[in-house]
Amino acid sequence: MRITIPQPQLLKTLQVVEHAVNDRSTLPILSNVLLESSGNELTLTATDLDVGIQCRFPLAQAMEKGAVALPARKLTTIIRELPDDTVTLEAKKNHTATVNCGTSSFRIPGLPAEDFPVLPSSDSTETVSVSQGVLKSLISLTAHAMSIEETRFILNGALLATQKDMVVMVATDGRRLAVAQAPATKVGKQPLNAVLPAKTIRELGRLLAEADTEDVIISPLKDNQLTFRFGLVTVVTRLIEGQFPQYEKVIPSSSKIVVTCDRQRLLEAVRRTNLMTTATSQAVVFELEPNRLVVSKESPELGSAREELDVRYNGDRLTIAFNPEFWLDVLKVLQSTEVSIELTGPDRTAVIREHGFTFLVLPMKGA
């Protein structure tokens, strides 16, 4: 195999797939990236057997066909350090590759392409289509609520489902819940109901183009897998097995007791107050009275913080404690100028409802 390709384009393609590499695997082949030349197209593939990423790149002219598996991190590091010039990569029969660019030359030992796992392909007609920008937005609005506790494996990811003509994404860690939905371009006859691992969610969030209206084609695969195809990229993922919680049952009815304030000002107030929290004393206190919100924290070790905000609120005086990180996570991803929060009691769930988005967070028992 022999290919020539501009350094920036090869580096960009490597950076698309390298996040799927597993350097700690007991299988040496999984720390490699597979490079395949079909003549007029270069395909790069990486996988850890749970998530696989493949990226195709059209070549300016027909090249020698072939394939080789090369150490992903080392190859990416080398290409990154090369000058902005044409790279010539040639793989020998002994699976060793040479990389030449300008006056630089490298020799990299590789592994047989035949040892690399083959990513499954889908021929299913039960596909779901949604624009890249929409799916990226759904991920942004919900990913922060995924659990990181290994004991609750089903929550270590996000639910992706279809409801009528809508695509819905849901994540929860048991203390907060984020639900986002948006219209799909196309849904299949059979409803989609899949729990995606956190790594898959992160990789899709990284790879999807925010302003791109081109559709992502989502197709089911055998053996509890799902594939996402968009542009020149394909992502294949195993799904988390198990029953995702029935989240609809915990969403309360709308409340008339609402506090409305500037989103950015609340974000900054919570961020500053959070400076006085510790690992053993995380809660910050929200004190509400008509047209005023005080966010505060008292810490015997660090001292205290107090932030006062003008708000629209006509309910009774209310004091409620929250984990500030949960508020920071959601306030950062919202785009609205103002945020309205339903607060009905010191031990009741706080709720944000916006168009296509619902967020619930449980209070903490003490400050």
Side-chain angles (χ1 to χ4, degrees), residues 17 25 127 131 232 270 305:
V17 303
S25 173
T127 62
S131 77
L232 300 174
V270 174

Side-chain angles (χ1 to χ4, degrees), residues 66-123:
V68 67
L70 298 175
R73 307 296 187 206
K74 182 59 67 179
L75 179 61
T76 302
T77 301
I78 289 171
I79 300 302
R80 183 184 295 113
E81 295 300 325
L82 291 176
D84 186 349
D85 202 347
T86 299
V87 175
T88 300
L89 189 151
E90 186 171 3
K92 309 293 184 181
K93 289 184 178 180
N94 62 354
H95 316 303
T96 296
T98 58
V99 177
N100 296 287
C101 180
T103 59
S104 302
S105 181
F106 292 86
R107 183 180 64 83
I108 309 172
L111 292 172
E114 298 77 27
D115 293 349
F116 200 87
V118 178
L119 293 190
S121 57
S122 173
D123 56 3

Side-chain angles (χ1 to χ4, degrees), residues 84-216:
D84 186 349
D85 202 347
T86 299
V87 175
T88 300
L89 189 151
E90 186 171 3
K92 309 293 184 181
K93 289 184 178 180
N94 62 354
H95 316 303
T96 296
T98 58
V99 177
N100 296 287
C101 180
T103 59
S104 302
S105 181
F106 292 86
R107 183 180 64 83
I108 309 172
L111 292 172
E114 298 77 27
D115 293 349
F116 200 87
V118 178
L119 293 190
S121 57
S122 173
D123 56 3
S124 172
T125 58
E126 284 296 317
T127 62
V128 174
S129 300
V130 60
S131 77
Q132 288 195 49
V134 165
L135 184 56
K136 188 179 182 73
S137 176
L138 295 181
I139 290 171
S140 173
L141 288 168
T142 57
H144 58 87
M146 294 188 297
S147 176
I148 58 173
E149 296 178 10
E150 295 182 0
T151 55
R152 310 188 71 181
F153 196 63
I154 192 66
L155 303 184
N156 297 155
L159 173 69
L160 180 66
T162 54
Q163 295 177 359
K164 296 182 179 179
D165 59 348
M166 306 291 284
V167 175
V168 181
M169 185 162 281
V170 186
T172 180
D173 60 7
R175 294 177 293 274
R176 54 181 163 170
L177 169 73
V179 182
Q181 61 179 16
T185 307
K186 171 184 174 292
V187 296
K189 294 180 180 179
Q190 297 296 323
L192 175 67
N193 197 70
V195 183
L196 307 178
K199 181 175 180 178
T200 304
I201 294 293
R202 289 193 297 269
E203 290 308 306
L204 288 171
R206 179 179 66 90
L207 295 171
L208 292 167
E210 187 171 357
D212 202 323
T213 57
E214 183 179 354
D215 280 350
V216 181

Side-chain angles (χ1 to χ4, degrees), residues 59-367:
L59 299 170
Q61 59 187 47
M63 299 290 173
E64 182 181 323
K65 295 182 180 181
V68 67
L70 298 175
R73 307 296 187 206
K74 182 59 67 179
L75 179 61
T76 302
T77 301
I78 289 171
I79 300 302
R80 183 184 295 113
E81 295 300 325
L82 291 176
D84 186 349
D85 202 347
T86 299
V87 175
T88 300
L89 189 151
E90 186 171 3
K92 309 293 184 181
K93 289 184 178 180
N94 62 354
H95 316 303
T96 296
T98 58
V99 177
N100 296 287
C101 180
T103 59
S104 302
S105 181
F106 292 86
R107 183 180 64 83
I108 309 172
L111 292 172
E114 298 77 27
D115 293 349
F116 200 87
V118 178
L119 293 190
S121 57
S122 173
D123 56 3
S124 172
T125 58
E126 284 296 317
T127 62
V128 174
S129 300
V130 60
S131 77
Q132 288 195 49
V134 165
L135 184 56
K136 188 179 182 73
S137 176
L138 295 181
I139 290 171
S140 173
L141 288 168
T142 57
H144 58 87
M146 294 188 297
S147 176
I148 58 173
E149 296 178 10
E150 295 182 0
T151 55
R152 310 188 71 181
F153 196 63
I154 192 66
L155 303 184
N156 297 155
L159 173 69
L160 180 66
T162 54
Q163 295 177 359
K164 296 182 179 179
D165 59 348
M166 306 291 284
V167 175
V168 181
M169 185 162 281
V170 186
T172 180
D173 60 7
R175 294 177 293 274
R176 54 181 163 170
L177 169 73
V179 182
Q181 61 179 16
T185 307
K186 171 184 174 292
V187 296
K189 294 180 180 179
Q190 297 296 323
L192 175 67
N193 197 70
V195 183
L196 307 178
K199 181 175 180 178
T200 304
I201 294 293
R202 289 193 297 269
E203 290 308 306
L204 288 171
R206 179 179 66 90
L207 295 171
L208 292 167
E210 187 171 357
D212 202 323
T213 57
E214 183 179 354
D215 280 350
V216 181
I217 310 299
I218 307 170
S219 307
L221 299 170
K222 295 179 181 179
D223 301 322
N224 199 38
Q225 297 182 88
L226 203 65
T227 181
F228 297 79
R229 290 180 288 118
F230 48 98
L232 300 174
V233 177
T234 300
V235 176
V236 177
T237 179
R238 291 191 184 278
L239 303 176
I240 299 177
E241 297 185 9
Q243 183 66 42
F244 197 81
Q246 294 182 314
Y247 65 92
E248 301 99 331
K249 293 185 177 181
V250 303
I251 300 176
S253 302
S254 298
S255 171
K256 295 180 180 180
I257 305 174
V258 179
V259 55
T260 302
C261 62
D262 183 275
R263 180 188 61 84
Q264 187 62 32
R265 285 201 63 202
L266 179 58
L267 171 62
E268 293 168 356
V270 174
R271 181 186 292 134
R272 288 191 290 263
T273 308
N274 189 37
L275 297 174
M276 306 307 287
T277 62
T278 65
T280 56
S281 179
Q282 290 183 312
V284 300
V285 176
F286 285 26
E287 298 174 80
L288 272 166
E289 58 183 63
N291 299 324
R292 188 175 73 155
L293 168 64
V294 175
V295 183
S296 64
K297 176 64 183 176
E298 293 278 350
S299 170
E301 303 168 37
L302 302 178
S304 64
R306 185 178 188 277
E307 296 277 344
E308 187 172 321
L309 294 88
D310 293 327
V311 300
R312 296 197 299 277
Y313 176 72
N314 292 312
D316 297 332
R317 291 176 66 94
L318 175 65
T319 300
I320 184 168
F322 291 108
N323 183 328
E325 295 292 344
F326 294 171
W327 286 108
L328 294 176
D329 287 342
V330 69
L331 291 171
K332 283 188 290 189
V333 299
L334 294 176
Q335 301 297 316
S336 54
T337 303
E338 290 189 326
V339 61
S340 295
I341 307 167
E342 299 173 17
L343 294 167
T344 55
D347 57 351
R348 304 293 294 274
T349 303
V351 185
I352 294 175
R353 301 179 205 264
E354 296 195 353
H355 179 68
F357 177 67
T358 303
F359 177 75
L360 279 66
V361 58
L362 290 173
M364 298 183 76
K365 290 185 177 180

